[in-house]
């Protein structure tokens, strides 16, 4: 009846209990607050059942920031463990616990922080930038989000019920096979990623269609803002790479559940095949995350330099080149497997070639600033931080792309420092710039500049303090994932410095949260009256802030790459309509939310081998989809009077400024 | 005045941090930069070349970033402002061309060195190579000297100035054998045999590790590589020959059980075909049932 689930699953040590208790506490607090302020209905109508990409985007980012807090706690614990476990001291936790924590850290940060921030931003920005009112498939968009949440909940459930995988964030077999990992940890990992991954794939299809089919009149592809181009590249990668992940996870699951032998050591199974497959997804995944961050910087640099983006065409070509090349480099993650000199050299050279279009992008951003009037607001500071950290990351990447050099640095802390330079310096800095840049558009007030700058300084100094020691440690021969090392190595002082750096980053994150809270409380000081607080360039800034739920009262017409700048400064003024058209939008529906809940149940049932719990929700999902397919009247028309009222109020607000 | 104090303070702090770092680096062993064998030496040379070539791009980019940020800051109204200037064929050609040239040089080097430093390629020498068969266990390293019929756990003594040919497999999850001062790493995988060729040019005791996570005892998978002259090496051989331990296949199966015991064990005799047997264990379907059962026991 309950499969492998028993009371054993609820026994934990102190650190885990603390984590579980704080999560349950936070959940209870949310329930109490919702009840006290009578917000349940608001929660249901505005959020749980919404199909508005703006609300879905905000929820993505909210969840991602929560997961960032969890991921950074994992990182903090790892740093404390490694700073204390030299020689006779075993540190604060067991080897298995440490391995679970770094597995959870990587999985959480990539799938539920970086991906969450990315999809959140795409939801918020893409429809507005291409002059659309919605995405191509609003319900699929909601389903994607709720699958993302289901995966996120599954991975966090592993903390309270059972255990998490101790096989690393990519769970290489044979370690992740039943023979070496008999517990439910790897199963939690498989199903959390499988569910969230299917959501990502659906989103990929959705946004490609949105960008290709829903651009407003005059918005030719070569007039699209670069953020949209970067999203198009990224989503192309999602659509072609995520099926590989889905299949790979499915094969691993077959090994573990049905006794098959795709990746086992014996019976003709081949773990090397898994390593190839997972990186054939995993390397494009890196570019899936980084491309939109490049897009963000293209927007930010042009806006804050008050200048057209330099070399637009080549920026587009660079994105396309990176998109294609990112498929041809996966083997650089395992030069040390012994594939032979020809194979290694080929993939090494392909890896270096990616540095060319990436380098060109950096030059184009710098020359966007050249002969500009650069205002160093918070997003621009993140850009500067990005240039320095990301370039260092790029160089260490090129260094490791040379196979014989990689033999000496692979799986060392040098590698760990390298990819944090790329993921933090590139992806996280990019998305933090984006949050600071686009926040006023959706909330109607700017974020506090002082706290934003302070957060930035803590992040950047913390980053250097945390990761420069790791580079040195890697050179000293320290491998990654060590829960303990001999005192004779002399590594401890550097690990302590790194832990201090992590503390600075934690303060940076606390300041980020403080920045949001303070900005909400003091929002009257930072109100964005006219919807264009940065004097920016693209269509999203032509709407009021916060954006009305229908985005544009009248769909815009575009004549130039910088459509809004063009409208503000040149002849193509956006004409003020006297009569508004009817607007048709999708009705709210609870189906996305329900599918998320059911998917979570399926995942939980599969993890614990509870057959009925895995099967029943699946049947319900199929029924729900059939029901929905036959449903009529899924859309409604916004009355003209409502549009007129909102538009008038926004105009008055703009005049009041 | 205030800014002056700030600048001085910043310079002092930076100098202090750099000083500390140099002090640390000079008093500790940076294994990768302190090679003791020809392979590690060549790998370090290549590392330096790559860093220098990369610096040709990075240093100008950093200088340019600082210069442009300073000169075109909003408050500097004297700087030229051309809001519509977004294209310049000469400049754009330059920053496509410079990386292309540097990457081309690097690509040629990569191709050459990938072949010359291929871990499967034997070292050239007029001396007979020393053969060592390496088996990664949970969580220890077993080194078999097939020509001398001895074996050792967690230590791999070698002779200096003599090519060492390693054959590597695993009777455990995937591991990676890495002796940073002698050569870069290569994976150890069950059912397969990888190779690594290296030598030591200076006597010393070098540290070896597993660089790939392989379960709970992974962090303790360190071993020592004493590199000595002929006499000391032969002394060690004699000592091993006197050991009471003999590594039969049965004894091996005992040894292969998961253990975090890091003691050095010597064996005076070894099953001649042990290395192949360990590989074939994963290759023969007929033994499969036993294997699964045994592996399941490993996991406990």
């Amino acid at each position: 009846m309950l499969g492998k689930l028993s009371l054993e699953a609820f026994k934990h040590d102190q650190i885990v209990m603390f984590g579980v208790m704080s999560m349950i506490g936070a959940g209870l607090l949310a329930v109490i607050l919702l009840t006290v302020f009578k917000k349940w209905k608001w929660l249901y109508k505005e959020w749980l059942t919404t199909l508005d990409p703006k609300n879905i985007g905000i929820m993505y980012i909210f969840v991602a920031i929560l997961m960032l807090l969890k991921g950074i706690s994992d990182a903090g614990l790892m740093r404390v463990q490694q700073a204390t476990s030299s020689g006779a001291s075993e540190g604060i936790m067991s080897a298995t616990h440490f391995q679970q924590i770094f597995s959870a850290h990587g999985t959480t940060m990539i799938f539920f922080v970086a991906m969450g921030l990315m999809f959140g931003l795409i939801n918020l920005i893409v429809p507005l930038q291409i002059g659309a009112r919605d995405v191509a498939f609003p319900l699929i968009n909601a389903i994607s989000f709720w699958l993302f949440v289901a995966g996120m909940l599954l991975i966090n459930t592993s903390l309270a019920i059972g255990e998490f995988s101790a096989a690393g964030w990519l769970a290489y077999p044979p370690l992740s096979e039943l023979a070496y990992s008999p517990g439910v940890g790897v199963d939690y990992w498989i199903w959390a990623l499988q569910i969230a991954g299917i959501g990502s794939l659906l989103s990929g299809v959705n946004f490609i269609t949105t960008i290709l089919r829903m651009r407003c009149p005059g918005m030719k592809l070569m007039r699209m803002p670069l953020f949209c181009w970067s999203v198009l590249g990224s989503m192309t990668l999602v659509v072609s790479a995520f099926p590989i992940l889905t299949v790979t996870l499915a094969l691993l699951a077959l090994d573990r559940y049905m006794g098959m032998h795709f990746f086992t050591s014996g019976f003709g199974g081949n773990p090397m095949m898994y390593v190839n497959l997972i990186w054939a997804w995993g390397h494009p995944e890196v570019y899936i995350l980084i491309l939109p961050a490049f897009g963000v910087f293209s927007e930010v640099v042009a806006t804050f330099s008050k200048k057209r983006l330099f070399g637009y065409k080549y920026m587009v070509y660079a994105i396309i080149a990176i998109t294609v090349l990112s498929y041809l480099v996966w083997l650089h993650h395992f030069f040390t497997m012994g594939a032979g000199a020809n194979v290694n050299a080929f993939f090494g050279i392909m890896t270096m070639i990616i540095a060319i279009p990436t380098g060109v992008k950096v030059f184009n951003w710098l020359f966007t600033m050249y002969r500009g009037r650069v205002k160093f607001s918070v997003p621009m500071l993140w850009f500067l931080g990005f240039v320095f950290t990301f370039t260092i990351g790029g160089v260490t990447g090129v260094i490791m792309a040379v196979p014989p050099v990689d033999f000496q640095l692979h799986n060392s802390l040098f590698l760990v420092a390298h990819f944090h330079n790329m993921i933090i310096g590139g992806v996280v800095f990019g998305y933090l710039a984006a949050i600071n840049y686009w926040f006023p558009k959706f909330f109607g007030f700017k974020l506090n500049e002082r706290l934003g700058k302070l957060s930035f300084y803590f992040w950047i100094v913390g980053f250097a303090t945390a990761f420069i020691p790791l580079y040195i440690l890697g050179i000293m021969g320290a491998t990654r994932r060590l829960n303990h090392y001999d005192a004779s190595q002399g590594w401890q002082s550097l690990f302590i410095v790194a832990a201090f750096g992590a503390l600075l980053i934690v303060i940076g994150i606390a300041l980020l949260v403080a920045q949001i809270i303070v900005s909400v409380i003091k929002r009257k000081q930072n109100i964005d009256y006219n919807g264009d607080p940065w004097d920016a360039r693209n269509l999203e800034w032509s709407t009021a802030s916060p954006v009305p739920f229908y985005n544009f009262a009248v769909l815009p017409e575009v004549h130039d790459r910088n459509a809004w700048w063009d409208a503000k400064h040149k002849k193509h003024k956006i004409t003020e309509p006297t009569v508004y058209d009817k607007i048709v939008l999708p009705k709210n529906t609870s189906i996305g939310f329900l599918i998320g809940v059911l998917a979570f149940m399926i995942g939980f049932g599969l993890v614990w081998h509870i057959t009925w719990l895995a099967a029943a929700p699946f049947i319900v999902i199929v029924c729900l989809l059939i029901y929905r397919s036959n449903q009529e009247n899924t859309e409604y028309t916004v009355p003209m009077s409502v549009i007129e009222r909102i538009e008038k109020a926004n105009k008055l607000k703009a005049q009041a400024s | 005045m205030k800014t002056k104090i700030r600048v001085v303070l910043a310079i002092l702090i930076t100098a202090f941090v750099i000083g500390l770092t140099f002090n640390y680096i000079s008093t500790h062993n940076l294994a990768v930069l302190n090679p003791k064998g020809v392979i590690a030496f060549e790998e370090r040379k290549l590392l330096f070349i790559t860093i220098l070539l990369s610096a040709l791009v990075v240093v100008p980019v950093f200088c340019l970033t600082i210069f442009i940020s300073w000169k075109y800051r909003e408050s500097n109204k004297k700087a030229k402002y051309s809001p519509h200037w977004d294209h310049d064929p000469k400049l754009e050609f330059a920053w496509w061309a410079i990386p292309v040239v540097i990457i081309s040089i690097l690509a040629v080097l990569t191709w050459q060195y990938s072949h010359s430093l291929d871990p499967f390629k034997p070292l050239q020498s007029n001396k007979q190579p020393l053969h060592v068969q390496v088996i990664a266990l949970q969580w220890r390293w077993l080194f078999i000297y097939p020509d001398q019929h001895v074996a050792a756990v967690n230590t791999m003594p070698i002779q200096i100035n003599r090519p060492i040919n390693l054959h590597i497999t695993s009777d455990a999850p995937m591991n990676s054998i890495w002796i940073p001062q002698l050569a870069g790493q290569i994976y150890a995988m069950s059912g397969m045999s990888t190779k690594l060729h290296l030598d030591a040019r200076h006597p010393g005791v070098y540290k070896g590790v597993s660089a790939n996570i392989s379960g709970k005892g992974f962090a303790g998978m360190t071993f020592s590589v004493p590199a000595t002259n002929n006499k000391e090496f032969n002394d060690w051989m004699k000592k091993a020959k006197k050991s009471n331990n003999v590594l039969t296949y049965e004894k091996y199966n005992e040894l292969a059980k998961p253990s975090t015991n890091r003691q050095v064990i010597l064996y005076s005799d070894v099953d001649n075909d042990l290395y192949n047997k360990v590989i074939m264990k994963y290759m023969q379907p007929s033994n499969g049932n036993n294997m699964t059962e045994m592996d399941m026991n490993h996991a406990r």
Side-chain angles (χ1 to χ4, degrees), chain A residues 179 306 311 314 342 352 374 407-408 410 490, chain B residues 24 72 74 81 110 115 178 185 187 299:
Chain A
K306 291 269 180 304
Y314 291 99
N342 287 342
M352 293 166 193
V374 191
F407 298 155
Q408 280 285 32
H410 181 63
Chain B
Y24 183 89
Y72 296 100
E74 199 186 23
Y81 175 50
T110 298
H115 286 83
W178 186 28
Q185 65 197 278
Y187 285 162

PDB file of all heavy atoms in Angstrom, chain A residues 179 306 311 314 342 352 374 407-408 410 490, chain B residues 24 72 74 81 110 115 178 185 187 299:
ATOM      1  N   ALA A 179      22.837  -0.706  -7.561  1.00  0.00           N
ATOM      2  CA  ALA A 179      23.881  -1.458  -6.884  1.00  0.00           C
ATOM      3  C   ALA A 179      24.634  -0.600  -5.869  1.00  0.00           C
ATOM      4  O   ALA A 179      25.027  -1.081  -4.815  1.00  0.00           O
ATOM      5  CB  ALA A 179      24.867  -2.018  -7.904  1.00  0.00           C
ATOM      6  N   LYS A 306      22.520  55.351 -23.129  1.00  0.00           N
ATOM      7  CA  LYS A 306      21.735  56.268 -23.962  1.00  0.00           C
ATOM      8  C   LYS A 306      22.215  56.216 -25.413  1.00  0.00           C
ATOM      9  O   LYS A 306      22.451  57.242 -26.046  1.00  0.00           O
ATOM     10  CB  LYS A 306      21.887  57.710 -23.458  1.00  0.00           C
ATOM     11  CG  LYS A 306      21.249  57.973 -22.126  1.00  0.00           C
ATOM     12  CD  LYS A 306      19.825  58.453 -22.284  1.00  0.00           C
ATOM     13  CE  LYS A 306      19.165  58.730 -20.961  1.00  0.00           C
ATOM     14  NZ  LYS A 306      19.190  57.579 -20.049  1.00  0.00           N
ATOM     15  N   GLY A 311      26.740  47.169 -33.180  1.00  0.00           N
ATOM     16  CA  GLY A 311      26.867  45.928 -33.942  1.00  0.00           C
ATOM     17  C   GLY A 311      25.715  44.951 -33.778  1.00  0.00           C
ATOM     18  O   GLY A 311      25.930  43.756 -33.595  1.00  0.00           O
ATOM     19  N   TYR A 314      25.789  41.713 -35.791  1.00  0.00           N
ATOM     20  CA  TYR A 314      26.775  40.719 -35.394  1.00  0.00           C
ATOM     21  C   TYR A 314      26.422  40.114 -34.045  1.00  0.00           C
ATOM     22  O   TYR A 314      26.796  38.980 -33.753  1.00  0.00           O
ATOM     23  CB  TYR A 314      28.170  41.343 -35.409  1.00  0.00           C
ATOM     24  CG  TYR A 314      28.573  41.632 -36.830  1.00  0.00           C
ATOM     25  CD1 TYR A 314      28.443  42.907 -37.372  1.00  0.00           C
ATOM     26  CD2 TYR A 314      28.994  40.598 -37.652  1.00  0.00           C
ATOM     27  CE1 TYR A 314      28.750  43.151 -38.693  1.00  0.00           C
ATOM     28  CE2 TYR A 314      29.298  40.840 -38.983  1.00  0.00           C
ATOM     29  CZ  TYR A 314      29.183  42.109 -39.496  1.00  0.00           C
ATOM     30  OH  TYR A 314      29.472  42.330 -40.810  1.00  0.00           O
ATOM     31  N   ASN A 342      42.517  12.282 -31.175  1.00  0.00           N
ATOM     32  CA  ASN A 342      41.760  12.964 -32.226  1.00  0.00           C
ATOM     33  C   ASN A 342      40.439  13.510 -31.705  1.00  0.00           C
ATOM     34  O   ASN A 342      40.080  14.660 -31.957  1.00  0.00           O
ATOM     35  CB  ASN A 342      41.480  12.007 -33.392  1.00  0.00           C
ATOM     36  CG  ASN A 342      42.730  11.733 -34.198  1.00  0.00           C
ATOM     37  OD1 ASN A 342      43.701  12.489 -34.108  1.00  0.00           O
ATOM     38  ND2 ASN A 342      42.720  10.660 -34.957  1.00  0.00           N
ATOM     39  N   MET A 352      37.021  26.056 -27.908  1.00  0.00           N
ATOM     40  CA  MET A 352      37.687  27.362 -28.000  1.00  0.00           C
ATOM     41  C   MET A 352      36.981  28.262 -28.989  1.00  0.00           C
ATOM     42  O   MET A 352      36.927  29.474 -28.806  1.00  0.00           O
ATOM     43  CB  MET A 352      39.120  27.170 -28.491  1.00  0.00           C
ATOM     44  CG  MET A 352      39.969  26.449 -27.515  1.00  0.00           C
ATOM     45  SD  MET A 352      41.449  25.933 -28.366  1.00  0.00           S
ATOM     46  CE  MET A 352      42.054  24.815 -27.148  1.00  0.00           C
ATOM     47  N   VAL A 374      27.138  57.127 -19.938  1.00  0.00           N
ATOM     48  CA  VAL A 374      26.835  55.930 -19.163  1.00  0.00           C
ATOM     49  C   VAL A 374      26.444  56.256 -17.722  1.00  0.00           C
ATOM     50  O   VAL A 374      27.214  56.875 -16.986  1.00  0.00           O
ATOM     51  CB  VAL A 374      28.043  54.964 -19.139  1.00  0.00           C
ATOM     52  CG1 VAL A 374      27.618  53.634 -18.555  1.00  0.00           C
ATOM     53  CG2 VAL A 374      28.592  54.788 -20.538  1.00  0.00           C
ATOM     54  N   PHE A 407      43.575  17.494 -18.177  1.00  0.00           N
ATOM     55  CA  PHE A 407      43.930  16.315 -17.379  1.00  0.00           C
ATOM     56  C   PHE A 407      44.386  16.727 -15.982  1.00  0.00           C
ATOM     57  O   PHE A 407      44.200  16.006 -15.015  1.00  0.00           O
ATOM     58  CB  PHE A 407      45.067  15.520 -18.047  1.00  0.00           C
ATOM     59  CG  PHE A 407      44.720  14.976 -19.406  1.00  0.00           C
ATOM     60  CD1 PHE A 407      45.714  14.714 -20.333  1.00  0.00           C
ATOM     61  CD2 PHE A 407      43.400  14.717 -19.757  1.00  0.00           C
ATOM     62  CE1 PHE A 407      45.409  14.209 -21.590  1.00  0.00           C
ATOM     63  CE2 PHE A 407      43.093  14.210 -21.010  1.00  0.00           C
ATOM     64  CZ  PHE A 407      44.090  13.962 -21.932  1.00  0.00           C
ATOM     65  N   GLN A 408      45.028  17.902 -15.903  1.00  0.00           N
ATOM     66  CA  GLN A 408      45.555  18.364 -14.618  1.00  0.00           C
ATOM     67  C   GLN A 408      44.545  19.171 -13.802  1.00  0.00           C
ATOM     68  O   GLN A 408      44.780  19.440 -12.632  1.00  0.00           O
ATOM     69  CB  GLN A 408      46.804  19.238 -14.845  1.00  0.00           C
ATOM     70  CG  GLN A 408      48.069  18.458 -15.101  1.00  0.00           C
ATOM     71  CD  GLN A 408      48.630  17.816 -13.845  1.00  0.00           C
ATOM     72  OE1 GLN A 408      47.897  17.433 -12.947  1.00  0.00           O
ATOM     73  NE2 GLN A 408      49.941  17.694 -13.786  1.00  0.00           N
ATOM     74  N   HIS A 410      40.855  18.912 -14.357  1.00  0.00           N
ATOM     75  CA  HIS A 410      39.518  18.327 -14.350  1.00  0.00           C
ATOM     76  C   HIS A 410      39.155  17.828 -12.953  1.00  0.00           C
ATOM     77  O   HIS A 410      39.996  17.291 -12.243  1.00  0.00           O
ATOM     78  CB  HIS A 410      39.477  17.168 -15.341  1.00  0.00           C
ATOM     79  CG  HIS A 410      38.140  16.505 -15.429  1.00  0.00           C
ATOM     80  ND1 HIS A 410      37.018  17.178 -15.858  1.00  0.00           N
ATOM     81  CD2 HIS A 410      37.730  15.246 -15.137  1.00  0.00           C
ATOM     82  CE1 HIS A 410      35.985  16.346 -15.830  1.00  0.00           C
ATOM     83  NE2 HIS A 410      36.378  15.179 -15.388  1.00  0.00           N
ATOM     84  N   GLY A 490      47.757  21.155   3.832  1.00  0.00           N
ATOM     85  CA  GLY A 490      47.879  22.601   4.050  1.00  0.00           C
ATOM     86  C   GLY A 490      46.809  23.415   3.349  1.00  0.00           C
ATOM     87  O   GLY A 490      47.034  24.558   2.951  1.00  0.00           O
TER      88      GLY A 490
ATOM     89  N   TYR B  24      51.383  32.746   0.923  1.00  0.00           N
ATOM     90  CA  TYR B  24      50.772  31.417   0.985  1.00  0.00           C
ATOM     91  C   TYR B  24      51.321  30.536  -0.138  1.00  0.00           C
ATOM     92  O   TYR B  24      51.732  29.405   0.069  1.00  0.00           O
ATOM     93  CB  TYR B  24      49.258  31.540   0.874  1.00  0.00           C
ATOM     94  CG  TYR B  24      48.548  30.208   1.013  1.00  0.00           C
ATOM     95  CD1 TYR B  24      48.172  29.750   2.265  1.00  0.00           C
ATOM     96  CD2 TYR B  24      48.311  29.398  -0.093  1.00  0.00           C
ATOM     97  CE1 TYR B  24      47.563  28.520   2.416  1.00  0.00           C
ATOM     98  CE2 TYR B  24      47.694  28.171   0.042  1.00  0.00           C
ATOM     99  CZ  TYR B  24      47.317  27.741   1.297  1.00  0.00           C
ATOM    100  OH  TYR B  24      46.711  26.523   1.438  1.00  0.00           O
ATOM    101  N   TYR B  72      33.355  57.766 -20.332  1.00  0.00           N
ATOM    102  CA  TYR B  72      31.992  58.050 -20.815  1.00  0.00           C
ATOM    103  C   TYR B  72      30.958  57.994 -19.711  1.00  0.00           C
ATOM    104  O   TYR B  72      29.790  57.737 -19.950  1.00  0.00           O
ATOM    105  CB  TYR B  72      31.651  57.111 -21.984  1.00  0.00           C
ATOM    106  CG  TYR B  72      32.561  57.373 -23.150  1.00  0.00           C
ATOM    107  CD1 TYR B  72      33.660  56.567 -23.400  1.00  0.00           C
ATOM    108  CD2 TYR B  72      32.359  58.489 -23.966  1.00  0.00           C
ATOM    109  CE1 TYR B  72      34.531  56.852 -24.447  1.00  0.00           C
ATOM    110  CE2 TYR B  72      33.211  58.774 -25.008  1.00  0.00           C
ATOM    111  CZ  TYR B  72      34.301  57.956 -25.243  1.00  0.00           C
ATOM    112  OH  TYR B  72      35.154  58.247 -26.272  1.00  0.00           O
ATOM    113  N   GLU B  74      28.322  59.403 -17.074  1.00  0.00           N
ATOM    114  CA  GLU B  74      27.283  60.384 -17.369  1.00  0.00           C
ATOM    115  C   GLU B  74      27.720  61.809 -17.046  1.00  0.00           C
ATOM    116  O   GLU B  74      27.407  62.755 -17.771  1.00  0.00           O
ATOM    117  CB  GLU B  74      26.024  60.033 -16.572  1.00  0.00           C
ATOM    118  CG  GLU B  74      24.761  60.663 -17.101  1.00  0.00           C
ATOM    119  CD  GLU B  74      23.597  60.381 -16.179  1.00  0.00           C
ATOM    120  OE1 GLU B  74      23.836  60.098 -14.984  1.00  0.00           O
ATOM    121  OE2 GLU B  74      22.443  60.444 -16.624  1.00  0.00           O
ATOM    122  N   TYR B  81      29.623  62.441 -27.497  1.00  0.00           N
ATOM    123  CA  TYR B  81      28.402  61.645 -27.353  1.00  0.00           C
ATOM    124  C   TYR B  81      27.795  61.453 -28.730  1.00  0.00           C
ATOM    125  O   TYR B  81      27.376  62.420 -29.374  1.00  0.00           O
ATOM    126  CB  TYR B  81      27.423  62.369 -26.419  1.00  0.00           C
ATOM    127  CG  TYR B  81      26.074  61.704 -26.276  1.00  0.00           C
ATOM    128  CD1 TYR B  81      25.979  60.341 -25.972  1.00  0.00           C
ATOM    129  CD2 TYR B  81      24.899  62.424 -26.414  1.00  0.00           C
ATOM    130  CE1 TYR B  81      24.744  59.725 -25.829  1.00  0.00           C
ATOM    131  CE2 TYR B  81      23.653  61.820 -26.272  1.00  0.00           C
ATOM    132  CZ  TYR B  81      23.589  60.467 -25.978  1.00  0.00           C
ATOM    133  OH  TYR B  81      22.373  59.869 -25.845  1.00  0.00           O
ATOM    134  N   THR B 110      46.678  22.825 -29.534  1.00  0.00           N
ATOM    135  CA  THR B 110      45.812  21.809 -28.940  1.00  0.00           C
ATOM    136  C   THR B 110      45.928  20.496 -29.702  1.00  0.00           C
ATOM    137  O   THR B 110      46.041  19.427 -29.112  1.00  0.00           O
ATOM    138  CB  THR B 110      44.354  22.301 -28.956  1.00  0.00           C
ATOM    139  OG1 THR B 110      44.274  23.475 -28.169  1.00  0.00           O
ATOM    140  CG2 THR B 110      43.412  21.248 -28.406  1.00  0.00           C
ATOM    141  N   HIS B 115      47.995  15.050 -29.087  1.00  0.00           N
ATOM    142  CA  HIS B 115      48.618  13.815 -29.555  1.00  0.00           C
ATOM    143  C   HIS B 115      49.893  13.500 -28.790  1.00  0.00           C
ATOM    144  O   HIS B 115      50.099  12.367 -28.378  1.00  0.00           O
ATOM    145  CB  HIS B 115      48.886  13.895 -31.063  1.00  0.00           C
ATOM    146  CG  HIS B 115      47.634  13.761 -31.873  1.00  0.00           C
ATOM    147  ND1 HIS B 115      46.792  14.819 -32.134  1.00  0.00           N
ATOM    148  CD2 HIS B 115      47.045  12.670 -32.429  1.00  0.00           C
ATOM    149  CE1 HIS B 115      45.753  14.394 -32.832  1.00  0.00           C
ATOM    150  NE2 HIS B 115      45.875  13.097 -33.024  1.00  0.00           N
ATOM    151  N   TRP B 178      44.725  10.384 -10.168  1.00  0.00           N
ATOM    152  CA  TRP B 178      45.414  11.658 -10.400  1.00  0.00           C
ATOM    153  C   TRP B 178      46.590  11.811  -9.453  1.00  0.00           C
ATOM    154  O   TRP B 178      46.421  11.789  -8.241  1.00  0.00           O
ATOM    155  CB  TRP B 178      44.411  12.815 -10.218  1.00  0.00           C
ATOM    156  CG  TRP B 178      44.974  14.168 -10.571  1.00  0.00           C
ATOM    157  CD1 TRP B 178      45.972  14.430 -11.466  1.00  0.00           C
ATOM    158  CD2 TRP B 178      44.571  15.434 -10.040  1.00  0.00           C
ATOM    159  NE1 TRP B 178      46.200  15.776 -11.543  1.00  0.00           N
ATOM    160  CE2 TRP B 178      45.361  16.425 -10.683  1.00  0.00           C
ATOM    161  CE3 TRP B 178      43.620  15.838  -9.123  1.00  0.00           C
ATOM    162  CZ2 TRP B 178      45.225  17.786 -10.403  1.00  0.00           C
ATOM    163  CZ3 TRP B 178      43.477  17.191  -8.834  1.00  0.00           C
ATOM    164  CH2 TRP B 178      44.265  18.156  -9.474  1.00  0.00           C
ATOM    165  N   GLN B 185      45.098  13.338 -14.883  1.00  0.00           N
ATOM    166  CA  GLN B 185      44.311  12.174 -14.474  1.00  0.00           C
ATOM    167  C   GLN B 185      43.677  11.423 -15.646  1.00  0.00           C
ATOM    168  O   GLN B 185      43.586  11.930 -16.770  1.00  0.00           O
ATOM    169  CB  GLN B 185      43.196  12.635 -13.555  1.00  0.00           C
ATOM    170  CG  GLN B 185      42.182  13.527 -14.257  1.00  0.00           C
ATOM    171  CD  GLN B 185      41.327  14.298 -13.288  1.00  0.00           C
ATOM    172  OE1 GLN B 185      40.365  13.771 -12.772  1.00  0.00           O
ATOM    173  NE2 GLN B 185      41.702  15.542 -13.039  1.00  0.00           N
ATOM    174  N   TYR B 187      40.222   8.400 -16.095  1.00  0.00           N
ATOM    175  CA  TYR B 187      39.168   7.692 -15.378  1.00  0.00           C
ATOM    176  C   TYR B 187      39.506   6.213 -15.198  1.00  0.00           C
ATOM    177  O   TYR B 187      40.164   5.598 -16.040  1.00  0.00           O
ATOM    178  CB  TYR B 187      37.837   7.784 -16.135  1.00  0.00           C
ATOM    179  CG  TYR B 187      37.146   9.129 -16.029  1.00  0.00           C
ATOM    180  CD1 TYR B 187      36.153   9.487 -16.937  1.00  0.00           C
ATOM    181  CD2 TYR B 187      37.458  10.031 -15.020  1.00  0.00           C
ATOM    182  CE1 TYR B 187      35.509  10.704 -16.856  1.00  0.00           C
ATOM    183  CE2 TYR B 187      36.824  11.253 -14.934  1.00  0.00           C
ATOM    184  CZ  TYR B 187      35.848  11.588 -15.851  1.00  0.00           C
ATOM    185  OH  TYR B 187      35.216  12.792 -15.764  1.00  0.00           O
ATOM    186  N   ALA B 299      26.752  -2.271  -1.524  1.00  0.00           N
ATOM    187  CA  ALA B 299      26.093  -1.017  -1.222  1.00  0.00           C
ATOM    188  C   ALA B 299      25.698  -0.928   0.249  1.00  0.00           C
ATOM    189  O   ALA B 299      25.450   0.146   0.757  1.00  0.00           O
ATOM    190  CB  ALA B 299      24.867  -0.892  -2.100  1.00  0.00           C
TER     191      ALA B 299
END
